[in-house]
Amino acid sequence: MSALASPSSSILTASPDQVAPGTRWVAPALVAVALIVWLASMAVFITHPLAELPLYFAKRYLVLDATSLLFVVLVNTVFLGISVYILSREHSSAVLSHDILSRAGLMLTFMLIINLGVMSNHLILMWALIELSTLCAAPLVARGDAASPKSVAWRYMLYSAMTLSITFLGFMCLAQSAHLRGVDISFAVDQLGQALSTNSDGWQRLGLSFMLFGLGGKLGLAPLYSWMPETYEAAPTSTSALLAAVQFNISVVAVFRILQVFQGFESHFVSQELLLMGYLSLVVAAVQVMAVRNYKRLIAYACVSSSGVIALGLSVGKAAAYGVVLYIVSNAFVKSLLFLTAGRLRAVYGTNDVAPLSGVIRVMPFSGLLFTVGIFALLGFPPFASFLAEMMILSGIVQAGNLMAFTLMCVMLTVIFVATGRTVFPMLWGASRREGPPVHESWIAALPKLGFVFTLIMLGTYTPKPITELLIAVAQSIGG
Amino acid sequence: MTLPLILCLVATVIPVFFGKIGVAPTWLSLQALALGWISITRQSELSVHVLALGLEVLLVRAWLVPTLLRRALAGQSAARQDLMPSNLFAWGVAISLIILAFRFGDGARADVRALTLGVVAATVMIAFLILATNREPAAQLVGLLFMENALALFESLMPEPWPLPVHLAVSGVYILTVAVGSWLVRGHSPAPVAPSALKDMA
């Protein structure tokens, strides 16, 4: 394994100032770029009323509609938080300061690709951009300090390529379906619907099932989920947050685009496939959460269960659409909050295992409190947005008359709640084994996490009208 | 257009049965030459767009990526291993998948479109088989590149060539797959894949 596979001890023990002279400007520059992009996305949100959308540009390859606007704002907000976290960690992490330049470069390229992908109006272009984002993220995953980070990064890349190839097989089946009916097909999102058939068509169904199955793998839905816990655990925490809260959402956009294109076509078939993947994911996540004794892996399995909830909500369609959109938005903040706080825990305790951590709230009062808040938000407690969203999804499932899905979701979420509490609460509130005063925590490290908590509470209690309208518009676009 | 399609199929099937990983760049180049041939001859008139696409296929897929892969494999023990394990079971599965792929293509003798679809499906199936049967990362990387060539061949089934931005993105994926993949698999011993991961991959 090369030197990059695991950071050498000399790097780990060296002071940041000695390791990388001349790169102190990188982290502030990263924050500056993230801030500019975030301000630009907010400016677009404020200056473009929903009635004026969609706007096509770059020869109609890119589109600004409610879906792309929501996700551009979301991913850039999360990225701003992650970049501030990196700035705060650079001062205390010699490994990070050693390779900050390449990491920042990869992250910015990744974000550029994600922004283009979210706005893409062409399914094959979006497909290629999702794969490109994976190829940018793989070297970031390989910078983790697991036993063999390159192996993990390779498997992440392999899984991604496989799931996206399955998605591409779906495109091929759609093309074959159109050809057999003598129809020209274009993969532009706003034109693909014209090539679909309202009659039952085997090729079309096969294409749809491949696309949803492949993209389901990118979302961490069972059965193609196993890359997710492994990658999220082994990657550096900032990268885990980037994958869970940013890359996850470009795959969500791809699924939304497919649902938008297929509105009125094969809705029962879509519903059944999503339902099945949702059931499987919730069961898998519940069983794994009971067994896991590693807090990063626990968050990762919670991501699998979140994907299951999203799939169940999408399977219901109209009744739960608003809840699903709110759930996706709140989840991006919950995952970022948890992973970034987990990064602080890892920096102090040097392990991802739960066993050596006890009484975190006494050793690191602020991070311990934020982790507690994050866990409560993850488990769907009020006043966080995830509570409201879960209630809406459950209510939608009941309205749709699917009592099986309702029961399974309630049971599995209860199991996940109990298992998570059993693992995490002693870690947070148990007797501390460390002596000495609490660890000093800088305000700059807390700033992004506080922002995420504020947003979660705001979305769960009082959502400003423009944001509500945007969420409704996205929900309507997927059949809500 | 039948001849380049047959060339593409041969360049996919032969290495799976008889090829070593170290020779895979040559087979990838052959696949790309066939792809370039198809790209240029599929349109009745040669436009700047078609020429640019053909040139891009030849430069990126036939020369650049095989060269990068050859460099990555140079001196590695993995280069001397078979691309797919040589046993009757794997061969039997491969032959079945190829036959199935041509059934998917709706009868290869029907027309060029059906033959193309059969070649695309056969290449994708073979790529999945390489990924499923060989735990050597270098072989898996070759499997991924086979798959991406199949996806590029799919373009010839479309009424119009993909627009340039789509092409650039797909070529970017191909180049970055070999660049990042080579970096990740270099000096990489067979990965200890978790049983659950294997179960999902299968």
Side-chain angles (χ1 to χ4, degrees), chain A residues 298-366:
Chain A
L298 184 116
I299 304 168
Y301 280 118
C303 295
V304 176
S305 89
S306 304
S307 299
V309 172
I310 292 167
L312 283 186
L314 286 175
S315 76
V316 173
K318 192 175 179 180
Y322 183 84
V324 170
V325 177
L326 183 61
Y327 190 79
I328 289 166
V329 172
S330 72
N331 242 280
F333 293 112
V334 172
K335 289 172 190 172
S336 311
L337 171 64
L338 281 171
F339 274 121
L340 297 188
T341 314
R344 287 291 300 148
L345 302 188
R346 159 110 200 155
V348 170
Y349 288 92
T351 177
N352 291 334
D353 287 338
V354 170
L357 277 71
S358 187
V360 168
I361 210 135
R362 291 180 188 83
V363 179
M364 307 168 69
F366 206 73

Coordinates of all heavy atoms in Angstrom, one line a residue, chain A residues 298-366:
Chain A
L298 N -22.9 3.7 12.7 CA -24.3 3.8 13.1 C -25.0 4.9 12.3 O -26.1 4.7 11.9 CB -24.3 4.1 14.6 CG -25.7 4.2 15.2 CD1 -25.9 3.1 16.3 CD2 -26.0 5.5 15.9
I299 N -24.3 6.0 12.1 CA -24.9 7.1 11.4 C -25.1 6.6 9.9 O -26.1 6.9 9.3 CB -24.0 8.4 11.4 CG1 -23.7 8.8 12.8 CG2 -24.6 9.5 10.6 CD1 -22.5 9.9 12.9
A300 N -24.1 5.8 9.4 CA -24.2 5.3 8.0 C -25.5 4.4 7.9 O -26.2 4.6 6.9 CB -23.0 4.6 7.7
Y301 N -25.7 3.6 8.9 CA -26.9 2.7 8.8 C -28.2 3.5 8.9 O -29.2 3.2 8.4 CB -26.8 1.6 9.8 CG -26.0 0.4 9.3 CD1 -24.8 0.1 10.0 CD2 -26.3 -0.3 8.2 CE1 -24.0 -0.9 9.5 CE2 -25.5 -1.3 7.7 CZ -24.3 -1.6 8.4 OH -23.5 -2.6 7.9
A302 N -28.1 4.6 9.7 CA -29.2 5.5 9.8 C -29.5 6.1 8.4 O -30.7 6.4 8.1 CB -29.0 6.6 10.8
C303 N -28.4 6.3 7.7 CA -28.6 6.9 6.3 C -29.4 5.8 5.4 O -30.2 6.2 4.6 CB -27.3 7.2 5.6 SG -26.4 8.5 6.5
V304 N -29.1 4.5 5.6 CA -29.8 3.5 4.9 C -31.2 3.5 5.3 O -32.1 3.4 4.4 CB -29.1 2.1 5.2 CG1 -29.9 1.0 4.5 CG2 -27.7 2.0 4.7
S305 N -31.5 3.7 6.6 CA -32.9 3.7 7.0 C -33.6 4.9 6.4 O -34.8 4.9 6.0 CB -33.0 3.6 8.5 OG -33.0 4.8 9.1
S306 N -32.9 6.1 6.4 CA -33.5 7.3 5.8 C -33.9 7.1 4.4 O -35.0 7.5 3.9 CB -32.6 8.5 5.9 OG -32.2 8.7 7.2
S307 N -33.0 6.4 3.6 CA -33.3 6.1 2.2 C -34.5 5.3 2.1 O -35.3 5.4 1.2 CB -32.1 5.4 1.6 OG -31.0 6.2 1.6
G308 N -34.7 4.3 3.1 CA -35.8 3.4 3.1 C -37.1 4.3 3.3 O -38.1 4.0 2.6
V309 N -37.0 5.2 4.2 CA -38.2 6.1 4.5 C -38.6 6.9 3.3 O -39.7 7.0 2.9 CB -37.9 7.0 5.7 CG1 -39.1 8.0 5.9 CG2 -37.8 6.2 7.0
I310 N -37.5 7.4 2.6 CA -37.8 8.2 1.4 C -38.4 7.3 0.3 O -39.4 7.8 -0.3 CB -36.4 8.8 0.9 CG1 -35.9 9.9 1.8 CG2 -36.6 9.4 -0.5 CD1 -34.5 10.3 1.6
A311 N -37.9 6.1 0.2 CA -38.5 5.2 -0.9 C -40.0 4.9 -0.5 O -40.8 4.9 -1.4 CB -37.7 3.9 -1.0
L312 N -40.2 4.6 0.7 CA -41.6 4.3 1.1 C -42.5 5.6 0.8 O -43.6 5.4 0.3 CB -41.7 4.0 2.6 CG -41.3 2.6 3.0 CD1 -41.5 2.3 4.5 CD2 -42.0 1.5 2.2
G313 N -42.0 6.7 1.2 CA -42.8 8.0 1.0 C -43.1 8.2 -0.5 O -44.2 8.5 -0.9
L314 N -42.0 8.0 -1.3 CA -42.2 8.2 -2.8 C -43.1 7.1 -3.4 O -43.9 7.4 -4.3 CB -40.8 8.1 -3.5 CG -39.9 9.3 -3.3 CD1 -38.5 9.0 -3.9 CD2 -40.5 10.6 -3.9
S315 N -43.2 6.0 -2.8 CA -44.1 4.9 -3.3 C -45.5 5.3 -3.1 O -46.4 4.9 -3.9 CB -43.8 3.6 -2.6 OG -44.3 3.6 -1.3
V316 N -45.8 6.1 -2.1 CA -47.2 6.5 -1.8 C -47.6 7.6 -2.8 O -48.8 7.6 -3.2 CB -47.3 7.0 -0.4 CG1 -48.7 7.6 -0.1 CG2 -47.0 5.9 0.6
G317 N -46.7 8.4 -3.3 CA -47.0 9.4 -4.2 C -47.6 10.6 -3.6 O -47.0 11.2 -2.6
K318 N -48.7 11.0 -4.1 CA -49.3 12.3 -3.8 C -49.4 12.7 -2.4 O -48.9 13.7 -1.9 CB -50.7 12.3 -4.4 CG -51.4 13.7 -4.4 CD -52.7 13.6 -5.1 CE -53.4 15.0 -5.1 NZ -54.7 15.0 -5.8
A319 N -49.9 11.7 -1.6 CA -50.2 12.1 -0.2 C -49.0 12.4 0.7 O -49.0 13.2 1.6 CB -50.9 10.9 0.4
A320 N -47.8 11.8 0.3 CA -46.6 12.0 1.2 C -45.6 12.8 0.5 O -44.5 13.0 1.1 CB -46.1 10.6 1.6
A321 N -45.8 13.4 -0.7 CA -44.8 14.0 -1.5 C -44.1 15.2 -0.7 O -42.9 15.3 -0.7 CB -45.3 14.5 -2.8
Y322 N -45.0 16.0 -0.1 CA -44.4 17.2 0.7 C -43.5 16.7 1.8 O -42.4 17.2 2.0 CB -45.5 18.1 1.2 CG -45.0 19.3 1.9 CD1 -44.7 20.4 1.1 CD2 -44.8 19.3 3.2 CE1 -44.2 21.6 1.8 CE2 -44.3 20.5 3.9 CZ -44.0 21.6 3.1 OH -43.5 22.7 3.7
G323 N -44.0 15.7 2.5 CA -43.2 15.1 3.6 C -41.9 14.6 3.2 O -40.9 14.8 3.8
V324 N -41.9 13.9 2.0 CA -40.7 13.3 1.5 C -39.6 14.5 1.2 O -38.5 14.4 1.5 CB -40.9 12.5 0.2 CG1 -39.6 12.1 -0.5 CG2 -41.7 11.3 0.6
V325 N -40.1 15.5 0.5 CA -39.2 16.6 0.2 C -38.6 17.3 1.4 O -37.4 17.5 1.6 CB -39.9 17.7 -0.7 CG1 -39.0 18.8 -1.0 CG2 -40.4 17.0 -2.0
L326 N -39.5 17.5 2.4 CA -39.1 18.1 3.7 C -38.1 17.1 4.4 O -37.1 17.6 5.0 CB -40.3 18.4 4.6 CG -40.0 19.0 5.9 CD1 -39.3 20.4 5.7 CD2 -41.2 19.2 6.8
Y327 N -38.4 15.8 4.3 CA -37.5 14.8 5.0 C -36.1 14.8 4.3 O -35.1 14.8 5.0 CB -38.1 13.5 4.8 CG -37.5 12.4 5.6 CD1 -37.7 12.2 7.0 CD2 -36.6 11.5 5.0 CE1 -37.2 11.2 7.7 CE2 -36.0 10.5 5.8 CZ -36.3 10.3 7.1 OH -35.7 9.3 7.8
I328 N -36.1 14.9 3.0 CA -34.8 14.9 2.3 C -34.0 16.2 2.7 O -32.8 16.1 2.9 CB -35.0 14.9 0.7 CG1 -35.5 13.5 0.4 CG2 -33.7 15.2 0.0 CD1 -36.1 13.5 -1.0
V329 N -34.6 17.3 2.7 CA -33.9 18.6 3.1 C -33.4 18.5 4.5 O -32.2 18.8 4.8 CB -34.9 19.8 2.9 CG1 -34.2 21.0 3.5 CG2 -35.2 20.0 1.4
S330 N -34.3 18.0 5.4 CA -33.9 18.0 6.8 C -32.7 16.9 7.0 O -31.8 17.1 7.8 CB -35.0 17.7 7.8 OG -35.4 16.3 7.6
N331 N -32.8 15.8 6.3 CA -31.8 14.8 6.4 C -30.4 15.3 6.0 O -29.4 14.9 6.6 CB -32.2 13.6 5.5 CG -32.4 12.4 6.3 OD1 -31.5 11.7 6.7 ND2 -33.7 12.1 6.6
A332 N -30.4 16.2 5.0 CA -29.1 16.7 4.6 C -28.4 17.4 5.8 O -27.2 17.2 6.0 CB -29.2 17.6 3.4
F333 N -29.2 18.2 6.5 CA -28.6 18.9 7.7 C -28.3 18.0 8.8 O -27.3 18.1 9.5 CB -29.6 20.0 8.1 CG -29.7 21.1 7.0 CD1 -30.9 21.3 6.4 CD2 -28.7 21.9 6.7 CE1 -31.1 22.2 5.4 CE2 -28.8 22.9 5.7 CZ -30.0 23.0 5.1
V334 N -29.2 17.0 9.0 CA -29.0 16.0 10.2 C -27.7 15.3 9.9 O -26.8 15.1 10.8 CB -30.2 15.1 10.3 CG1 -29.8 14.0 11.3 CG2 -31.4 15.8 10.7
K335 N -27.5 14.7 8.7 CA -26.3 13.9 8.4 C -25.0 14.8 8.5 O -24.0 14.3 9.1 CB -26.4 13.3 7.0 CG -27.5 12.3 6.9 CD -27.6 11.9 5.4 CE -28.8 11.0 5.1 NZ -29.0 10.9 3.6
S336 N -25.1 16.0 8.0 CA -23.9 16.9 8.1 C -23.6 17.1 9.6 O -22.4 17.1 10.0 CB -24.2 18.2 7.4 OG -24.7 18.0 6.1
L337 N -24.6 17.5 10.3 CA -24.4 17.8 11.8 C -23.8 16.6 12.5 O -22.8 16.7 13.2 CB -25.8 18.1 12.4 CG -25.8 18.2 13.9 CD1 -25.0 19.4 14.4 CD2 -27.2 18.4 14.4
L338 N -24.3 15.4 12.2 CA -23.8 14.2 12.9 C -22.4 13.9 12.5 O -21.5 13.6 13.3 CB -24.7 13.0 12.7 CG -26.0 13.1 13.6 CD1 -26.9 12.0 13.1 CD2 -25.6 12.9 15.0
F339 N -22.1 13.9 11.2 CA -20.8 13.5 10.7 C -19.7 14.5 11.1 O -18.6 14.1 11.6 CB -20.8 13.3 9.2 CG -21.2 12.0 8.7 CD1 -22.3 11.8 7.9 CD2 -20.5 10.8 9.2 CE1 -22.7 10.5 7.5 CE2 -20.9 9.6 8.8 CZ -22.0 9.4 7.9
L340 N -20.1 15.8 11.1 CA -19.1 16.8 11.5 C -18.8 16.7 13.0 O -17.7 16.9 13.4 CB -19.5 18.2 11.0 CG -19.7 18.5 9.5 CD1 -20.0 19.9 9.2 CD2 -18.5 18.0 8.8
T341 N -19.8 16.5 13.7 CA -19.6 16.3 15.2 C -18.8 15.0 15.5 O -18.0 15.0 16.3 CB -21.0 16.3 15.9 OG1 -21.8 17.3 15.4 CG2 -20.8 16.5 17.4
A342 N -19.1 14.0 14.7 CA -18.4 12.7 14.9 C -16.9 13.0 14.6 O -16.0 12.3 15.2 CB -19.0 11.7 13.9
G343 N -16.6 13.9 13.6 CA -15.2 14.2 13.3 C -14.5 14.8 14.5 O -13.4 14.5 14.8
R344 N -15.2 15.6 15.3 CA -14.6 16.2 16.5 C -14.4 15.1 17.6 O -13.4 15.1 18.2 CB -15.6 17.2 17.1 CG -15.6 18.5 16.4 CD -14.3 19.3 16.5 NE -14.0 19.6 17.8 CZ -12.7 19.7 18.3 NH1 -11.7 19.4 17.5 NH2 -12.5 20.0 19.6
L345 N -15.3 14.2 17.7 CA -15.2 13.1 18.7 C -14.0 12.2 18.3 O -13.2 11.9 19.1 CB -16.4 12.2 18.7 CG -17.8 12.8 19.0 CD1 -18.9 11.8 19.2 CD2 -17.7 13.6 20.3
R346 N -13.9 11.9 17.0 CA -12.8 11.1 16.5 C -11.4 11.8 16.8 O -10.4 11.2 17.1 CB -13.0 10.8 15.0 CG -11.8 10.5 14.2 CD -11.9 9.0 13.8 NE -10.5 8.7 13.5 CZ -10.0 7.5 13.5 NH1 -10.8 6.5 13.9 NH2 -8.8 7.2 13.2
A347 N -11.4 13.1 16.6 CA -10.2 13.9 16.8 C -9.7 13.8 18.2 O -8.5 13.8 18.5 CB -10.4 15.3 16.4
V348 N -10.7 13.8 19.2 CA -10.3 13.8 20.6 C -10.0 12.4 21.1 O -9.0 12.1 21.7 CB -11.4 14.4 21.4 CG1 -11.2 14.2 22.9 CG2 -11.5 15.9 21.1
Y349 N -10.9 11.4 20.7 CA -10.7 10.0 21.2 C -9.9 9.1 20.3 O -9.4 8.1 20.8 CB -12.1 9.4 21.4 CG -12.9 10.0 22.6 CD1 -13.7 11.1 22.4 CD2 -12.7 9.5 23.9 CE1 -14.5 11.6 23.5 CE2 -13.4 10.0 24.9 CZ -14.3 11.1 24.7 OH -15.0 11.6 25.8
G350 N -9.7 9.5 19.1 CA -8.9 8.7 18.2 C -9.5 7.4 17.8 O -8.8 6.5 17.3
T351 N -10.8 7.2 17.9 CA -11.4 6.0 17.5 C -12.9 6.2 17.1 O -13.5 7.2 17.5 CB -11.4 4.9 18.7 OG1 -12.1 3.8 18.2 CG2 -12.0 5.5 19.9
N352 N -13.4 5.3 16.3 CA -14.8 5.4 15.9 C -15.6 4.4 16.7 O -16.8 4.4 16.6 CB -15.0 5.0 14.4 CG -14.4 6.0 13.5 OD1 -14.3 7.1 13.8 ND2 -14.0 5.5 12.3
D353 N -14.9 3.6 17.6 CA -15.7 2.7 18.4 C -16.4 3.4 19.5 O -15.9 4.4 20.1 CB -14.7 1.6 19.0 CG -14.3 0.7 17.9 OD1 -15.0 0.5 16.9 OD2 -13.2 0.0 18.1
V354 N -17.6 2.8 19.9 CA -18.3 3.4 21.0 C -17.7 3.1 22.3 O -17.7 3.9 23.3 CB -19.8 2.9 20.9 CG1 -20.6 3.3 22.1 CG2 -20.5 3.5 19.6
A355 N -17.2 1.9 22.5 CA -16.8 1.4 23.8 C -15.8 2.3 24.6 O -16.1 2.6 25.7 CB -16.2 0.0 23.6
P356 N -14.8 2.8 23.9 CA -13.8 3.7 24.7 C -14.4 5.1 25.0 O -13.9 5.8 25.8 CB -12.6 3.9 23.8 CG -12.8 2.9 22.6 CD -14.3 2.6 22.5
L357 N -15.5 5.4 24.4 CA -16.1 6.7 24.7 C -17.2 6.6 25.8 O -18.1 5.8 25.6 CB -16.8 7.3 23.4 CG -15.9 8.0 22.4 CD1 -15.1 7.0 21.7 CD2 -16.8 8.7 21.4
S358 N -17.0 7.4 26.8 CA -18.1 7.4 27.8 C -18.1 8.8 28.4 O -17.0 9.4 28.7 CB -17.8 6.3 28.9 OG -18.8 6.2 29.8
G359 N -19.2 9.3 28.7 CA -19.3 10.6 29.2 C -18.8 11.7 28.3 O -18.2 12.7 28.8
V360 N -19.1 11.6 27.1 CA -18.6 12.6 26.1 C -19.1 14.0 26.5 O -18.4 15.0 26.3 CB -19.1 12.2 24.7 CG1 -18.9 13.3 23.7 CG2 -18.4 11.0 24.2
I361 N -20.3 14.0 27.0 CA -20.9 15.3 27.3 C -20.1 16.1 28.4 O -20.1 17.3 28.5 CB -22.4 15.2 27.6 CG1 -23.1 16.4 27.2 CG2 -22.6 14.9 29.1 CD1 -24.4 16.2 26.5
R362 N -19.4 15.3 29.2 CA -18.5 16.0 30.2 C -17.2 16.4 29.7 O -16.6 17.4 30.0 CB -18.3 15.0 31.4 CG -19.6 14.8 32.2 CD -19.4 13.8 33.4 NE -20.7 13.5 33.9 CZ -21.5 12.5 33.5 NH1 -21.1 11.8 32.4 NH2 -22.7 12.3 34.0
V363 N -16.6 15.5 28.8 CA -15.3 15.8 28.2 C -15.4 16.9 27.1 O -14.6 17.8 27.1 CB -14.7 14.5 27.6 CG1 -13.4 14.8 27.0 CG2 -14.6 13.5 28.6
M364 N -16.4 16.8 26.3 CA -16.6 17.8 25.2 C -18.1 18.3 25.3 O -18.9 17.8 24.5 CB -16.4 17.1 23.8 CG -15.1 16.4 23.7 SD -15.0 15.4 22.2 CE -15.0 16.6 21.0
P365 N -18.4 19.2 26.2 CA -19.8 19.6 26.5 C -20.5 20.0 25.2 O -21.6 19.6 24.9 CB -19.7 20.7 27.5 CG -18.3 20.6 28.0 CD -17.4 20.0 27.0
F366 N -19.8 20.8 24.4 CA -20.5 21.4 23.2 C -20.7 20.4 22.2 O -21.9 20.2 21.7 CB -19.7 22.6 22.7 CG -20.5 23.6 22.0 CD1 -21.4 24.4 22.7 CD2 -20.5 23.6 20.6 CE1 -22.2 25.3 22.0 CE2 -21.4 24.5 19.9 CZ -22.2 25.3 20.6

